[in-house]
């Protein structure tokens, strides 16, 4: 399939989460930020409204991370990931909890699709919106940090390298040779929104993140272009 796609790997690690409800606003943001940021993230909020066409449109403006966090039987996950790839995705997410068989099949699929163009399947370990008290009872026997490490090992032994994690989990996952993508990125003066455990962009990169997802601080800014530029520049400023 012929996809007009801005290529992956990204020119810098900042991925802007296009967490908006209309195609027009998403494309307006992507047009403004295409020369500045490394890529764009879209999730069910846009995918359910505009589907494949929207992924294609954004992919023409930068590498697209389709964050639909698949958690299903392996055959459905394979078909869903293929659909995102065919639309132009460079990154997609699945849940690490979907288990060894599904992850192993994801690793085979990633290998196959990489013959066509660079593509990564990222596994989400424990959602950052969960804390110890919100863990389901079957998971309370050990702390979240141990679940994250165990799930990361499962992901890696299944043949995938990509993980989505909180910036506060970066230290736990160092030296595992993983590709680490982290949301929860804020400058100290930014509004936290519903994110609880945040970190500055340069600090997250120093701790081993390979890509950073930034949403509201950029898309809700008075001047998203200026704010996105500040996020990118922060990574290259000498301290
Ligand atoms: O606006 P903000 O910078 O908090 O956006 C973070 C983005 O990352 C949102 O799209 C959110 O859905 C996503 N995300 C997250 N935590 C995860 C996985 C994804 O915040 N564990």
């Amino acid at each position: 399939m012929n996809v007009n796609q801005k290529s992956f790997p990204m020119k810098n690690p900042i991925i802007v989460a296009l967490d908006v409800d209309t195609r027009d606003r998403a494309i307006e943001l992507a047009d403004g930020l295409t020369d500045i940021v490394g890529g764009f993230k879209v999730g069910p909020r846009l995918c359910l409204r505009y589907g494949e066409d929207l992924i294609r449109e954004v992919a023409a403006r930068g590498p697209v991370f389709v964050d639909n966090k698949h958690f299903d039987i392996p055959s459905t996950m394979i078909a869903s990931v293929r659909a995102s790839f065919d639309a132009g995705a460079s990154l997609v997410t699945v849940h690490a909890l979907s288990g060894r068989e599904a992850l192993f099949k994801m690793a085979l699929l990633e290998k196959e699709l990489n013959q066509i163009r660079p593509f990564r399947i990222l596994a989400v370990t424990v959602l950052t919106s969960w804390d110890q008290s919100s863990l389901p009872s079957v998971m309370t026997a050990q702390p979240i940090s141990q679940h994250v490490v165990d799930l990361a090992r499962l992901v890696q032994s299944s043949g995938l390298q990509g993980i989505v994690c909180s910036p506060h989990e970066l230290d736990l996952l160092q030296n595992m040779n993983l590709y680490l993508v982290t949301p929860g990125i804020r400058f100290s003066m930014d509004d936290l929104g519903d994110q609880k455990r945040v970190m500055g962009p340069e600090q997250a990169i120093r701790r081993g993140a390979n890509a950073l997802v930034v949403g509201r601080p950029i898309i809700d800014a008075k001047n998203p272009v200026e704010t996105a530029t500040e996020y990118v520049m922060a990574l290259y400023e000498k301290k």
Side-chain angles (χ1 to χ4, degrees):
M1 190 169 299
N2 203 5
V3 174
N4 174 17
Q5 192 218 19
K6 288 269 177 94
S7 70
F8 186 71
M10 302 179 295
K11 62 176 173 282
N12 66 59
I14 301 289
I15 299 176
V16 175
L18 297 175
D19 287 335
V20 296
D21 291 315
T22 68
R23 177 255 168 218
D24 290 355
R25 180 62 182 145
I27 297 303
E28 184 184 24
L29 283 164
D31 276 338
L33 298 171
T34 181
D35 293 332
I36 299 163
V37 301
F40 301 104
K41 183 172 91 72
V42 300
R45 191 168 164 179
L46 283 173
C47 290
L48 289 172
R49 287 189 169 92
Y50 305 99
E52 177 179 17
D53 290 347
L54 189 272
I55 297 172
R56 271 179 209 288
E57 281 193 275
V58 179
R61 290 159 174 86
V64 180
F65 171 7
V66 176
D67 186 19
N68 287 340
K69 300 187 182 67
H70 299 295
F71 188 171
D72 213 313
I73 59 172
S75 59
T76 301
M77 288 172 66
I78 290 169
S80 308
V81 170
R82 271 190 203 284
S84 288
F85 177 85
D86 287 345
S90 292
L91 294 155
V92 300
T93 39
V94 301
H95 270 283
L97 278 169
S98 56
R100 183 176 299 282
E101 186 195 344
L103 294 171
F104 179 68
K105 288 187 172 164
M106 289 297 108
L108 290 180
L109 180 62
E110 184 184 73
K111 204 168 175 197
E112 177 201 321
L113 296 176
N114 267 277
Q115 306 294 316
I116 305 170
R117 63 168 203 272
F119 180 68
R120 271 190 194 274
I121 300 175
L122 309 171
V124 177
T125 53
V126 177
L127 290 171
T128 47
S129 53
W130 283 12
D131 59 17
Q132 198 66 30
S133 65
S134 49
L135 282 181
S137 59
V138 288
M139 291 177 71
T140 49
Q142 55 180 25
I144 284 189
S145 55
Q146 192 58 49
H147 283 297
V148 169
V149 171
D150 288 352
L151 286 167
R153 288 199 183 119
L154 170 67
V155 170
Q156 193 166 46
S157 66
S158 305
L160 289 175
Q161 283 78 42
I163 298 269
V164 180
C165 65
S166 127
H168 292 266
E169 287 152 6
L170 290 167
D171 287 345
L172 299 173
L173 303 177
Q174 269 180 13
N175 308 319
M176 285 180 72
N177 200 24
L178 293 163
Y179 181 86
L180 300 169
V181 177
T182 177
I185 300 299
R186 293 288 186 275
F187 282 136
S188 54
M189 67 285 198
D190 286 338
D191 188 0
L192 297 192
D194 52 4
Q195 296 283 12
K196 294 188 182 74
R197 304 197 305 146
V198 301
M199 198 175 276
E202 68 293 358
Q203 196 187 359
I205 292 289
R206 245 185 289 123
R207 289 190 181 200
N210 299 94
L212 310 177
V213 174
V214 188
R216 289 161 291 183
I218 291 176
I219 65 171
D220 292 344
K222 251 194 208 125
N223 186 335
V225 170
E226 202 171 276
T227 305
T229 306
E230 285 165 10
Y231 267 89
V232 174
M233 293 304 289
L235 304 180
Y236 301 104
E237 275 163 11
K238 282 223 169 81
K239 293 270 165 200

